[in-house]
Amino acid sequence: MKQTIYGVALGPGDPDLITIKALKTLQQADVIYYPETTNEKGMKSSMAMRVLGSLEIDETKFRPVSVAMKYDRSEVNETYRQLAAKCIQHAKAGEMVAVVSEGDIAFYSTFAYLIDDFKKAGVKYEMIPGVPAFILGGSLGLEPICKQTDKVLVVPEVKSENQLGEYVSANETVVIMKVSKLKDWIAGFLQKHQLDFFYGEYMGADKQFTTRDVSVLTERRIPYFSIIIIRNEEQIKLTNS
């Protein structure tokens, strides 16, 4: 296991939902890199660290990676390049290094941006899967994500109400990640078309909030860590009127 870089999924936020394999890997790792963000007031926060801090792991292994929350990817890409270089250095020195990510390691994960550099350097890497947030959302909502031949679409963003209408009309389930981008109109859209939905934010964490009530969502300040699962089992064709 030495000289290997591990991408380790932490799950959606509840420390009890990390896999046994992921926990064992982290306990054996020499170094663990985790993402953190800094807000406008200079305060640092990390969903990943909330999970790591609840596990039986030597905290001296932890190394924060500051990730800028910006649409301009130039700064973030440089951060990933530097992180990959550090991981490669650890691996070539004979160390076991882990890079963690919330949710699943292959699903909108930081680790995806490091793989090309690992391949070029010829270092061994492995990926430890985990529970993505929308799967937890299905459980918290007490409803299936899909049944039999249902089509499921997962999108990181939606550009307009018209586009979302097309998605919902063509699929039995639409999962929207990072709902904060739609905060100005998503509640009105759901109410207008009388759609069944489940909304969740910070799921698995202490400040978890969920609702199926569109009136509650209308008044809600929607954060970055949020999802909506829309069910349209009859595949109703939505109009723009």
Side-chain angles (χ1 to χ4, degrees):
M1 299 179 73
K2 296 291 184 180
Q3 298 181 313
T4 302
I5 301 169
Y6 288 85
V8 181
L10 297 179
D14 182 345
D16 288 340
L17 291 178
I18 188 173
T19 67
I20 294 174
K21 185 173 184 178
L23 177 58
K24 287 181 177 179
T25 301
L26 293 174
Q27 289 173 334
Q28 295 174 37
D30 297 304
V31 180
I32 301 171
Y33 286 100
Y34 68 92
E36 70 174 11
T37 58
T38 305
N39 64 19
E40 297 176 351
K41 297 180 180 179
M43 298 179 62
K44 298 182 183 300
S45 63
S46 173
M47 290 288 287
M49 190 58 206
R50 291 175 185 173
V51 176
L52 289 172
S54 300
L55 305 175
E56 295 181 0
I57 300 173
D58 180 1
E59 295 185 4
T60 62
K61 300 178 181 182
F62 299 156
R63 305 285 189 277
V65 179
S66 182
V67 180
M69 302 295 286
K70 298 179 180 178
Y71 290 115
D72 181 359
R73 301 295 295 177
S74 57
E75 184 177 342
V76 177
N77 290 337
E78 176 60 21
T79 298
Y80 292 156
R81 188 193 66 78
Q82 293 179 10
L83 174 57
K86 290 177 182 178
C87 291
I88 293 167
Q89 184 177 14
H90 285 296
K92 290 187 173 181
E95 294 179 305
M96 178 181 170
V97 57
V99 179
V100 302
S101 182
E102 300 91 345
D104 176 66
I105 201 65
F107 191 80
Y108 297 124
S109 167
T110 295
F111 197 77
Y113 300 97
L114 312 179
I115 291 176
D116 284 346
D117 287 347
F118 297 160
K119 290 180 178 178
K120 291 176 183 177
V123 298
K124 183 180 178 181
Y125 68 91
E126 293 186 20
M127 300 169 68
I128 312 298
V131 179
F134 75 92
I135 296 299
L136 173 60
S139 297
L140 292 176
L142 301 178
E143 293 285 350
I145 297 291
C146 54
K147 296 182 291 187
Q148 296 183 331
T149 59
D150 287 357
K151 296 186 294 296
V152 179
L153 177 67
V154 182
V155 292
E157 63 179 354
V158 179
K159 295 180 180 179
S160 67
E161 292 187 53
N162 288 350
Q163 186 180 59
L164 182 54
E166 293 174 359
Y167 289 160
V168 174
S169 294
N171 299 276
E172 282 81 9
T173 301
V174 175
V175 179
I176 307 172
M177 313 291 287
K178 306 168 186 175
V179 188
S180 58
K181 296 180 181 180
L182 319 182
K183 60 185 177 182
D184 293 334
W185 56 265
I186 187 60
F189 177 90
L190 295 169
Q191 191 169 40
K192 173 182 176 182
H193 298 291
Q194 298 183 324
L195 292 167
D196 179 34
F197 75 95
F198 170 84
Y199 169 83
E201 62 185 53
Y202 297 109
M203 294 185 301
D206 293 340
K207 52 183 178 180
Q208 170 180 293
F209 174 83
T210 66
T211 187
R212 288 180 173 277
D213 186 339
V214 71
S215 65
V216 172
L217 188 60
T218 301
E219 304 298 326
R220 192 78 184 172
R221 181 179 180 181
I222 300 176
Y224 177 84
F225 288 103
S226 57
I227 70 166
I228 282 183
I229 302 172
I230 301 173
R231 287 286 286 159
N232 180 22
E233 292 190 76
E234 302 300 326
Q235 288 189 280
I236 302 168
K237 299 301 179 182
L238 304 189
T239 64
N240 297 324
S241 59

